[in-house]
Amino acid sequence: MLDPRLNRGWTEKIMKKVLVATINLYQKTLSPDHGWFSARHPGGFCKYQPSCSEYSKQAIEKKGVATGVAISIWRILRCNPWSQGGADQLK
Amino acid sequence: MSSFFTQILFIPIYNLLMFLVGTVPGHQVAVAIILLTIIIRIILLPTSLKASRSMIELQKIQPEMTAVREKYKKDQKMMSQEMMALYKKHKVSPFGSCLPLIIQLVVLIIFYRVIMIGFNADHFNLLYSFIKHPSSINLIFWGVNVSKPNLWVLPLLAGALQFIQTKMMPQPPATKNATDPMVAMNKQMIYFFPLITIFIARSLPAGLAIYWVITSLVMILQQWYINNKYDLGFIGRFPAVAIAKLPEYTLEPDANPDGTEKPEYKKERAKGVEITVRKRKL
């Protein structure tokens, strides 16, 4: 039997790779900030800097899947029409 | 987790749709979907108008932004500082927000699930007590079954409207050093994107294609309004800018040869020292 802790590290690694690859794919295609239509938004589309997808990617890479996804969701919720926007680096 | 999303997203929209089905004449599901789509677009209207306005305002100053980007190519910090100063000068800032984009996607997924579970009495137990059970449900609308994929008319319509809508969105005025590969990509995508839409719409139930068509239609009207407001014409063309009027994309003489310019931190530091000195005296 494999050590369950070892197993968890392995799943975490795969999950991280899959999520980051998905975000990369999104950024290369549909993303209004980085993708096909980015030329239309000279100052960037997202009101935050870095954009939500970039922020989420960094968060998942640095903080791990669970925490990273949680703070990504929180960021997207903050990226609403009533918020101020501006510089918002991952802490 | 999934039951949480069911409770908070799926069931309210299911109820709203069933309420509309029960209210509209003929109990047409298609009409209910159209109404619900329009309601969602109306809720999102103020934010999406504001976003398109800020997009055009930013496109107007695009030449200046390219100049800043070119000048501080190697100094990200200075670049973003100068960008902020530019935004302040022209009183603009990016206003796009990601949440409405996600909301639209979530609505699409919920519509898909609602159509998939079917509009039969088996699921009426999901209805809130104050929603009247629809007496009859009509799935056929002008010969189109809402729950089955429609192969030609609706997908082609969705693709065509998507094309018009993408075409109408203004593009930044041409600049002197327009070597940005994304600009060329964008041009190709105007034609390629509607094709993807057609193929996706062909494989989904017709109800979703209806949602897509109505969304595009409303967005075309919105864009038309905005384009008229900024005198850009129906297609959204910026008037050609004379090359002589564009700013020069060259480095200032005092910049470092590698395109960086050292920001002055001295003043801030001096202030900090003053404060600490005062505190010690106290």
Side-chain angles (χ1 to χ4, degrees):
Chain A
M1 266 298 271
L2 263 165
D3 182 352
R5 275 172 304 171
L6 230 164
N7 195 25
R8 196 164 68 199
W10 181 77
T11 353
E12 162 93 15
K13 235 181 192 168
I14 299 267
M15 289 265 283
K16 194 185 267 186
K17 279 234 163 89
V18 168
L19 285 172
V20 170
T22 315
I23 295 174
N24 277 335
L25 180 69
Y26 165 75
Q27 289 190 331
K28 288 220 165 71
T29 55
L30 291 173
S31 160
D33 259 305
H34 315 273
W36 294 332
F37 300 104
S38 58
R40 293 240 162 112
H41 306 275
F45 171 82
C46 183
K47 57 169 64 173
Y48 283 110
Q49 187 63 242
S51 67
C52 290
S53 58
E54 192 57 41
Y55 182 92
S56 308
K57 196 164 88 179
Q58 289 171 10
I60 291 166
E61 272 173 344
K62 280 183 197 154
K63 313 247 161 153
V65 172
T67 326
V69 167
I71 56 179
S72 305
I73 291 174
W74 175 234
R75 165 65 174 273
I76 292 168
L77 286 177
R78 279 183 295 140
C79 192
N80 61 47
W82 302 276
S83 67
Q84 193 57 46
D88 177 44
Q89 294 286 343
L90 182 72
K91 275 172 208 110
Chain B
M1 198 67 178
S2 109
S3 82
F4 170 75
F5 281 119
T6 307
Q7 289 297 332
I8 204 164
L9 294 169
F10 173 71
I11 294 186
I13 291 197
Y14 178 76
N15 273 276
L16 193 53
L17 197 63
M18 285 325 242
F19 167 74
L20 288 170
V21 170
T23 317
V24 296
H27 302 294
Q28 286 281 3
V29 173
V31 177
I33 290 176
I34 291 171
L35 279 178
L36 190 52
T37 312
I38 292 174
I39 290 171
I40 291 166
R41 287 313 312 177
I42 287 174
I43 294 171
L44 293 175
L45 184 67
T47 98
S48 91
L49 278 183
K50 218 169 165 187
S52 353
R53 269 200 208 111
S54 93
M55 181 175 134
I56 293 181
E57 298 284 355
L58 283 164
Q59 287 180 348
K60 271 189 196 161
I61 60 164
Q62 206 254 1
E64 280 173 71
M65 284 160 70
T66 319
V68 169
R69 221 171 269 147
E70 200 67 6
K71 189 169 158 192
Y72 300 108
K73 225 189 276 174
K74 307 227 170 120
D75 191 344
Q76 280 291 327
K77 206 179 160 198
M78 269 311 273
M79 192 201 273
S80 59
Q81 264 178 32
E82 285 296 303
M83 280 295 185
M84 287 299 156
L86 198 62
Y87 290 164
K88 226 176 180 177
K89 187 177 141 205
H90 292 274
K91 295 193 180 91
V92 290
S93 62
F95 191 78
S97 29
C98 312
L99 193 61
L101 295 185
I102 303 262
I103 290 175
Q104 283 178 56
L105 189 68
V106 168
V107 168
L108 193 71
I109 295 168
I110 292 173
F111 270 21
Y112 180 72
R113 270 188 65 190
V114 170
I115 290 169
M116 276 299 153
I117 67 166
F119 292 89
N120 45 46
D122 300 355
H123 300 282
F124 281 176
N125 59 339
L126 292 175
L127 289 176
Y128 300 138
S129 53
F130 54 86
I131 303 278
K132 208 178 66 177
H133 291 189
S135 49
S136 72
I137 291 166
N138 198 347
L139 281 172
I140 314 290
F141 181 64
W142 282 358
V144 174
N145 188 334
V146 176
S147 62
K148 298 256 152 55
N150 178 269
L151 287 186
W152 292 109
V153 181
L154 282 171
L156 286 178
L157 195 60
L161 289 174
Q162 176 102 56
F163 174 72
I164 296 171
Q165 190 231 323
T166 333
K167 193 89 184 157
M168 277 173 80
M169 274 164 64
Q171 289 183 48
T175 47
K176 231 192 294 182
N177 54 352
T179 44
D180 188 358
M182 287 334 268
V183 176
M185 193 65 174
N186 182 21
K187 268 191 192 136
Q188 290 169 20
M189 276 309 142
I190 294 177
Y191 300 95
F192 187 55
F193 203 48
L195 288 180
I196 304 176
T197 304
I198 292 174
F199 282 107
I200 295 176
R202 270 175 68 105
S203 58
L204 294 176
L208 293 174
I210 293 175
Y211 169 73
W212 210 305
V213 165
I214 299 298
T215 303
S216 302
L217 210 56
V218 175
M219 282 169 74
I220 285 173
L221 291 176
Q222 239 168 271
Q223 198 64 52
W224 190 26
Y225 167 77
I226 286 281
N227 285 356
N228 272 334
K229 212 147 196 208
Y230 282 89
D231 273 328
L232 298 174
F234 184 76
I235 298 289
R237 278 273 142 71
F238 274 95
V241 185
I243 285 183
K245 277 193 177 172
L246 294 174
E248 283 296 324
Y249 303 137
T250 47
L251 295 170
E252 271 181 10
D254 58 329
N256 293 340
D258 60 346
T260 54
E261 209 179 35
K262 277 169 195 159
E264 289 173 23
Y265 296 116
K266 271 185 185 170
K267 276 181 190 170
E268 281 175 28
R269 255 181 212 165
K271 246 185 193 169
V273 170
E274 253 179 53
I275 292 165
T276 45
V277 170
R278 266 182 203 162
K279 269 185 181 169
R280 264 179 207 166
K281 276 181 182 172
L282 276 169

